[in-house]
Amino acid sequence: MLRAVRFALGFPRLPGLRGMSSRQPPVLAIAREETSIWERRAPLNPLQVQQLVRSGIKVIVQPSTRRAYSMDEYSQAGAVIQDNVSEATVIMSIKTIPVDTLLPDKTYSFFSHTIKAQEANMPLLDAVLDKRIRLLDYETMKNHKGQRVVAFGQYAGMAGMINILHGVGLRLLAFGHHTPFMHIGTAHNYPNTSAAKAAVASVGREIQYGLLPSVLGPIVFVFTGSGNVSQGAQEVFKQLPVEMVHPSQLPFVVASGDNRRIYGTIVNREDYLVHRHGGEFDKEYCNVHPEMYKSEFATTIAPYMSVLINGTYWDPRSPRLLTYADAKQLLTVNGGSVSKPGEPCLPHRLLAICDISADLGGSLEFMTECTSIDSPFLIYNPVNNESVAGDMSASGMLISSIDNMPAQIPREATDFFGSHLQPFIGEVLRIDGSEDFKNLSVSPTVKDSLIAYNGHLTPNYEYIQDRRAKREAKAAEARCEVTPAQKVLILGSGYVSAPVVEYLTRNEKYAVTVASNVASDASRLVSQYANATHKYWTLGHDDKSESELKALVSEHDVVISLLPPSLHIVVAKVCVASSKHLVTCSYTSPEMRKLSGAAEDAGVTLLNEVGLDPGIDHMLAMQCFNEVSKHGGIVESFVSWCGGLPAPEFSDNPLRYKFSWNPRSVLSNLKNSARYLKNGKLVDVPAGGWLMHSACPVDVIPGFNLEGVPNRDSTIYSEKYGLASLHTILRGTLRFLGFFNAVQALDQVGLLDDKEHARLNPSLSPLRWCDVMAMLISQTDVRAIDLKSCVYELLGRDLVKLSALEKLMNSVISCLHGLDYVFPVLQTWATL
């Protein structure tokens, strides 16, 4: 009697079963999950199965010791535990079922991941159609408002929040800080969410006691979205000593927040989306025309956040929360504190991102791969667009984006999911394929979730075949058509050519040709790349050289000139005449500027100053100026130092330098003139070697002995940078201390003299170094033993310079294995 009362009160007959024959009770099967070792959920828990059994439904549960609920629990609930599910009308699971185990003419329900025509799951869809299977996809079960009715959102949010708190603890430890977050594990380490929340609450008490290092500053969590995912994450988050603030308060919080609490803010679309043509945010209009809005999230929200919890749905027509460029910028936002011994400050404010949406390439453009329960974190470095797993100390931002987060809380996730699915099971059991789809008498929620029915896609999902056909046609077209490669001509095979060749040949669409008058160098450069070749070019100023150059340029789409700067203008004229684009690393010469009109008429781009200096330094400068301007500031002084320095442990020669580009150009540039503005006064450095005497200490990297000299005419850039308010502008060349002193020694003895010497002629017999040095210092009759004394006097009795010069000469001679002859030495000079 007691049992009958319990049945009557707690287990009413399910809706949707009326009309089914009582002589043939419906049979439902729960398949075991075989897609992942971590998939321990089920569509229904034992109590929900018991309700079905007592409603007259036979439930078969396939054996599995991985499932979070045991087989005994299902057996005690009245389920039949057996592997054979052939008598079932409906077979349910969470994730997809292996194609070879699909039974024909059955109704299956699971997350199929086919509604976007996902290529990886098209074999599954083909099998469903071939076997006349009726496929119901939980993802498409929606109510009349378009809201999903069967999902795990809340538990995805909870698991994601627990995981990222654990990750923050590990990341801060890698940065040198033990924090209470170290006492939080990953979500699957807890038997249930109550235990996990208790652990988080315990950590919260430690934070209240002041156990977060003050050098970390206020920690701010930003939540996007207000749905189940975000609410689940917030439920865990609020176990901490939390103060929720409005997004507009973030600057104040970061400036003066308390490290005995954690700050949170919920960001909705109206907080960061701005209409492109002005006006207030209109939710309804934005739903229809999201492309008419632009995002200010990267500038108004992101700079203040420590952790981003992203749980928002992203429409591909909408602006992204963060782009690749935004990610780079966020790594420049200072952690906010000053390092002390044993108390390192954070390298940047942003610590971590938990992308619970796991929408690859979606609202977070740089999110291109998911993490996993096995390996929940990676460090993404937007500078090189690379990710590493397992190294918490790597440069970049911590990211967690597990696409099956609720599987870490399997029992509660099963309870929640099943409670939402159960009201529809009666209707699903009536779908046996006997009715025509049009006449199927089930609710719109169930009917509209059927992707396939008796061998055909249902009307709502016929677009899948169209998408497949377009993709396959495009793939077939790509296989049949050979897209002509973009042809790139690189002029020169010196030091700077190798990195360009390596970089361009990474893309198979580029065909690279290296043209040089040193055939052996060009051949060596291209030998390891399939899409690179080389051609000999008679470099010179004669008709033959120009004719060869015209032929080479005409065969290519883009020309990169890595020749000495004086030759760029020759190449530019040929490029303009041939309507080909040109790229150089060198300063824009007056002759090059004169070609501007002709280049525009020919539709040709002449792109100069895109190396390190000039080039990258310009970009960094403009980035700095724009940032200052954006915050209402005015730039009054600009000093920039740039130099290609070797690693300190390799700066062990007298120049403290390694030649990474043309050695002659490196040294001869030091005989140029220079001009800069200092405190409103023009400073001119004459040509002829005075630049070397203007070297001054530069303290931009503490601990390094650096010196620098002004680089050409800095004043012309005040106009180009748009900085009329400057009282100081200096662009300088940076070297390790000792470089300019050593070069002065070379210059003083005449080794930087570019005048021709009749005696230095390849047609004459080679000279010994002592003979050359005697000639350069105008001592025609000097013994080798006296040469050092003469040079010492010429150097003003400067022992430091003499030592540097002597070491340089010995280094060169040692490269020659003791052959003290000048012409081999001159050819070997570049090996220093």
Side-chain angles (χ1 to χ4, degrees):
M1 184 68 181
L2 179 62
R3 185 173 182 179
V5 170
R6 183 182 177 200
F7 169 71
L9 294 177
F11 304 100
R13 187 171 178 85
L14 290 178
L17 290 178
R18 281 173 291 184
M20 298 184 66
S21 172
S22 59
R23 290 173 297 179
Q24 294 181 337
V27 181
L28 171 72
I30 297 176
R32 64 173 155 266
E33 304 292 334
E34 301 185 53
T35 58
S36 166
I37 63 169
W38 288 99
E39 192 48 79
R40 298 171 292 159
R41 294 171 292 177
L44 299 167
N45 68 17
L47 180 60
Q48 292 153 358
V49 165
Q50 188 177 51
Q51 292 180 354
L52 297 181
V53 171
R54 291 184 175 180
S55 294
I57 300 169
K58 180 178 180 179
V59 179
I60 299 172
V61 176
Q62 280 193 319
S64 174
T65 52
R66 179 184 294 149
R67 201 179 283 120
Y69 280 108
S70 70
M71 291 182 285
D72 283 345
E73 288 175 289
Y74 280 106
S75 179
Q76 290 172 15
V80 177
I81 311 300
Q82 67 180 44
D83 197 55
N84 188 342
V85 295
S86 58
E87 66 177 300
T89 305
V90 175
I91 302 171
M92 291 184 162
S93 65
I94 296 296
K95 294 295 189 179
T96 57
I97 291 176
V99 170
D100 58 354
T101 65
L102 291 173
L103 300 176
D105 297 307
K106 301 291 184 183
T107 299
Y108 280 87
S109 63
F110 48 74
F111 288 104
S112 71
H113 303 294
T114 59
I115 60 173
K116 296 179 182 177
Q118 292 96 315
E119 191 170 3
N121 289 323
M122 289 304 96
L124 168 69
L125 185 58
D126 288 338
V128 165
L129 297 174
D130 290 344
K131 297 183 179 184
R132 294 175 51 83
I133 286 171
R134 299 165 294 280
L135 175 59
L136 182 149
D137 194 314
Y138 304 130
E139 188 175 358
T140 62
M141 295 183 72
K142 298 179 181 180
N143 61 21
H144 66 282
K145 295 181 179 180
Q147 300 167 328
R148 288 178 59 183
V149 296
V150 180
F152 293 101
Q154 175 185 351
Y155 289 94
M158 296 177 78
M161 192 69 216
I162 296 165
N163 288 340
I164 205 64
L165 291 174
H166 170 70
V168 166
L170 296 177
R171 186 62 164 160
L172 289 174
L173 184 65
F175 286 150
H177 304 284
H178 170 78
T179 66
F181 295 118
M182 285 296 296
H183 303 149
I184 299 176
T186 50
H188 63 268
N189 291 132
Y190 299 101
N192 51 53
T193 55
S194 295
K197 288 190 286 188
V200 175
S202 176
V203 165
R205 288 189 289 275
E206 293 184 57
I207 292 173
Q208 283 180 310
Y209 297 152
L211 297 185
L212 274 181
S214 59
V215 72
L216 300 179
I219 293 180
V220 177
F221 282 70
V222 171
F223 297 84
T224 60
S226 56
N228 290 331
V229 169
S230 183
Q231 289 174 21
Q234 291 172 50
E235 184 177 337
V236 173
F237 178 65
K238 289 178 181 178
Q239 305 306 308
L240 298 169
V242 166
E243 180 177 339
M244 300 300 291
V245 299
H246 189 270
S248 63
Q249 295 177 278
L250 291 180
F252 173 78
V253 166
V254 169
S256 57
D258 186 351
N259 73 322
R260 290 172 297 179
R261 64 184 67 187
I262 304 295
Y263 295 89
T265 188
I266 302 169
V267 178
N268 295 306
R269 290 182 299 171
E270 56 266 31
D271 295 316
Y272 63 88
L273 288 184
V274 178
H275 197 287
R276 295 184 182 277
H277 303 303
E280 294 185 0
F281 178 82
D282 186 325
K283 182 178 179 180
E284 297 303 322
Y285 183 79
C286 185
N287 289 339
V288 179
H289 298 290
E291 71 281 358
M292 295 304 298
Y293 287 82
K294 61 181 180 179
S295 171
E296 294 186 346
F297 185 87
T299 55
T300 60
I301 308 292
Y304 307 105
M305 66 187 184
S306 307
V307 181
L308 170 63
I309 309 296
N310 185 36
T312 188
Y313 167 78
W314 183 69
D315 185 327
R317 298 173 299 161
S318 302
R320 288 184 164 91
L321 274 181
L322 294 172
T323 64
Y324 285 110
D326 297 332
K328 285 185 182 180
Q329 182 62 31
L330 286 177
L331 291 196
T332 68
V333 178
N334 192 280
S337 300
V338 178
S339 291
K340 302 175 185 177
E343 300 179 66
C345 69
L346 297 177
H348 37 76
R349 176 148 195 83
L350 178 61
L351 290 172
I353 293 176
C354 183
D355 186 18
I356 305 175
S357 69
D359 188 4
L360 301 185
S363 60
L364 304 176
E365 186 180 23
F366 47 86
M367 255 296 304
T368 58
E369 59 181 312
C370 287
T371 56
S372 64
I373 298 175
D374 307 80
S375 181
F377 308 112
L378 56 81
I379 305 295
Y380 170 68
N381 188 343
V383 175
N384 56 19
N385 194 30
E386 292 181 355
S387 300
V388 295
D391 182 5
M392 280 290 177
S393 61
S395 297
M397 58 185 74
L398 178 76
I399 289 182
S400 179
S401 183
I402 302 170
D403 61 1
N404 60 338
M405 282 187 184
Q408 295 180 275
I409 313 173
R411 289 178 73 104
E412 288 169 274
T414 296
D415 298 344
F416 181 82
F417 186 86
S419 67
H420 288 76
L421 176 63
Q422 190 175 10
F424 301 99
I425 286 180
E427 291 184 82
V428 175
L429 284 167
R430 295 178 57 184
I431 304 172
D432 59 5
S434 59
E435 293 181 89
D436 185 78
F437 181 76
K438 289 188 298 184
N439 301 324
L440 195 60
S441 54
V442 293
S443 67
T445 295
V446 173
K447 187 172 183 178
D448 292 345
S449 67
L450 285 165
I451 292 176
Y453 192 87
N454 290 355
H456 301 281
L457 290 173
T458 57
N460 286 351
Y461 301 98
E462 289 175 348
Y463 69 86
I464 295 176
Q465 288 292 31
D466 294 334
R467 289 190 184 182
R468 291 184 69 183
K470 289 178 181 178
R471 182 174 62 229
E472 289 166 4
K474 189 174 181 180
E477 184 179 342
R479 288 191 296 269
C480 295
E481 289 187 7
V482 179
T483 304
Q486 294 290 302
K487 297 180 179 179
V488 181
L489 174 63
I490 298 176
L491 298 176
S493 56
Y495 286 128
V496 295
S497 300
V500 183
V501 174
E502 187 279 327
Y503 179 78
L504 290 176
T505 51
R506 294 179 194 175
N507 191 328
E508 296 178 355
K509 294 181 180 180
Y510 297 150
V512 177
T513 302
V514 177
S516 172
N517 64 338
V518 185
S520 58
D521 285 353
S523 175
R524 174 182 48 79
L525 266 180
V526 304
S527 60
Q528 54 186 314
Y529 307 112
N531 52 333
T533 186
H534 69 95
K535 288 189 177 183
Y536 182 80
W537 172 37
T538 310
L539 178 61
H541 295 279
D542 54 15
D543 292 340
K544 180 180 179 183
S545 175
E546 185 174 352
S547 176
E548 291 178 358
L549 178 61
K550 289 179 179 178
L552 284 168
V553 170
S554 66
E555 296 170 358
H556 294 80
D557 301 301
V558 177
V559 179
I560 301 175
S561 178
L562 301 176
L563 301 171
S566 60
L567 295 173
H568 290 330
I569 189 62
V570 176
V571 177
K573 289 178 179 178
V574 173
C575 287
V576 170
S578 305
S579 296
K580 304 293 182 181
H581 304 297
L582 172 66
V583 179
T584 84
C585 304
S586 302
Y587 286 95
T588 306
S589 65
E591 294 84 355
M592 190 72 75
R593 289 193 186 93
K594 291 178 182 178
L595 281 179
S596 178
E600 288 183 21
D601 293 342
V604 169
T605 298
L606 302 178
L607 184 61
N608 299 279
E609 302 191 20
V610 285
L612 169 62
D613 170 13
I616 293 175
D617 64 330
H618 289 332
M619 299 176 195
L620 292 175
M622 292 307 301
Q623 183 183 43
C624 173
F625 303 150
N626 291 339
E627 188 69 19
V628 171
S629 176
K630 183 173 65 177
H631 290 88
I634 297 175
V635 179
E636 297 181 343
S637 173
F638 176 66
V639 178
S640 167
W641 294 102
C642 186
L645 302 176
E649 63 269 28
F650 292 103
S651 61
D652 53 357
N653 62 59
L655 289 178
R656 312 287 190 262
Y657 187 74
K658 296 284 185 179
F659 291 103
S660 59
W661 56 296
N662 188 285
R664 175 172 181 154
S665 296
V666 173
L667 297 172
S668 63
N669 281 350
L670 295 173
K671 305 193 78 171
N672 292 334
S673 63
R675 168 178 281 196
Y676 59 97
L677 185 67
K678 184 176 182 180
N679 296 326
K681 295 183 179 180
L682 279 176
V683 180
D684 285 294
V685 180
W690 289 100
L691 198 59
M692 293 174 263
H693 297 275
S694 68
C696 63
V698 178
D699 186 23
V700 292
I701 307 177
F704 277 30
N705 275 330
L706 300 171
E707 59 180 343
V709 297
N711 185 2
R712 302 187 184 231
D713 186 354
S714 300
T715 62
I716 63 174
Y717 289 97
S718 59
E719 181 181 350
K720 293 184 178 182
Y721 289 157
L723 300 175
S725 58
L726 287 175
H727 61 67
T728 296
I729 181 168
L730 168 65
R731 297 177 66 254
T733 298
L734 201 62
R735 296 286 184 264
F736 283 125
L737 185 64
F739 173 86
F740 295 109
N741 197 59
V743 176
Q744 282 180 44
L746 293 175
D747 187 44
Q748 285 177 269
V749 299
L751 285 170
L752 299 187
D753 190 353
D754 57 3
K755 292 186 298 186
E756 291 188 8
H757 290 266
R759 191 66 184 87
L760 296 177
N761 191 316
S763 64
L764 301 177
S765 58
L767 296 174
R768 295 177 304 164
W769 262 113
C770 60
D771 297 328
V772 173
M773 293 302 298
M775 179 186 68
L776 291 176
I777 64 175
S778 302
Q779 298 290 333
T780 56
D781 184 21
V782 64
R783 292 176 299 169
I785 195 170
D786 297 327
L787 182 60
K788 183 173 180 179
S789 298
C790 295
V791 171
Y792 178 54
E793 293 297 328
L794 186 62
L795 295 176
R797 305 175 70 83
D798 189 325
L799 284 173
V800 176
K801 288 183 179 179
L802 181 66
S803 174
L805 186 62
E806 191 172 20
K807 288 177 181 177
L808 282 170
M809 297 305 101
N810 288 336
S811 297
V812 173
I813 293 172
S814 68
C815 292
L816 301 173
H817 307 289
L819 296 177
D820 187 12
Y821 293 106
V822 70
F823 291 131
V825 167
L826 293 178
Q827 293 167 7
T828 314
W829 185 261
T831 63
L832 284 177

